[in-house]
Amino acid sequence: QVQLVESGGGLVQAGGSLRLSCAASGRTFSIYAMGWFRQAPGKEREFVAAIRWSGGNTYYADSVKGRFTISRDNAKNTVYLHMNSLKPEDTAVYLCAASRRYYSSSYDWPTAYDYWGQGTQVTVSS
């Protein structure tokens, strides 16, 4: 089992920045990739970004490319999501996820992941 705990959400004005963190514990050696998704009220869960644990390849949704950056610190078993130029439409609960399966593609679908955190709220005011 892998446990994931997110932190760093909050309220920010449009154009501002936030950094989300996701700390993994447990059987972290089994992780192939980690990702961030978001879910706004009444909407489906949406892929944001993913990173391979080994090699560090990154993948982004078109809606966040150039504004968000995903990174990892293997020594701390932590993944970060640096969010810049935030927009009101970025408002959502942001969830961290971990996959214990290898895929050659971009890990941009929810069922690619085996473990999920509880989520952290990000609210962007206009």
Side-chain angles (χ1 to χ4, degrees):
Q1 291 290 328
V2 173
Q3 294 78 41
L4 303 173
V5 178
E6 302 100 332
S7 61
L11 173 64
V12 64
Q13 287 189 331
S17 300
L18 280 175
R19 187 186 77 164
L20 305 183
S21 300
C22 175
S25 61
R27 299 173 65 88
T28 56
F29 60 85
S30 66
I31 296 174
Y32 273 100
M34 293 187 69
W36 288 95
F37 287 73
R38 64 188 182 187
Q39 190 161 19
K43 294 189 176 181
E44 292 188 353
R45 191 163 294 186
E46 176 190 20
F47 170 73
V48 176
I51 186 167
R52 291 186 184 272
W53 207 241
S54 176
N57 300 65
T58 57
Y59 309 94
Y60 296 94
D62 287 343
S63 59
V64 306
K65 276 181 185 174
R67 300 190 298 123
F68 292 11
T69 302
I70 189 170
S71 63
R72 77 199 192 290
D73 184 332
N74 289 42
K76 295 182 179 180
N77 291 323
T78 299
V79 169
Y80 304 97
L81 186 67
H82 306 258
M83 305 185 294
N84 297 320
S85 302
L86 282 161
K87 304 175 182 179
E89 51 263 44
D90 294 318
T91 295
V93 174
Y94 282 70
L95 301 112
C96 175
S99 176
R100 61 181 182 182
R101 289 167 280 173
Y102 174 80
Y103 294 102
S104 60
S105 56
S106 57
Y107 286 94
D108 62 357
W109 67 104
T111 54
Y113 295 86
D114 303 284
Y115 307 103
W116 292 84
Q118 293 297 310
T120 185
Q121 177 70 44
V122 171
T123 302
V124 184
S125 62
S126 56

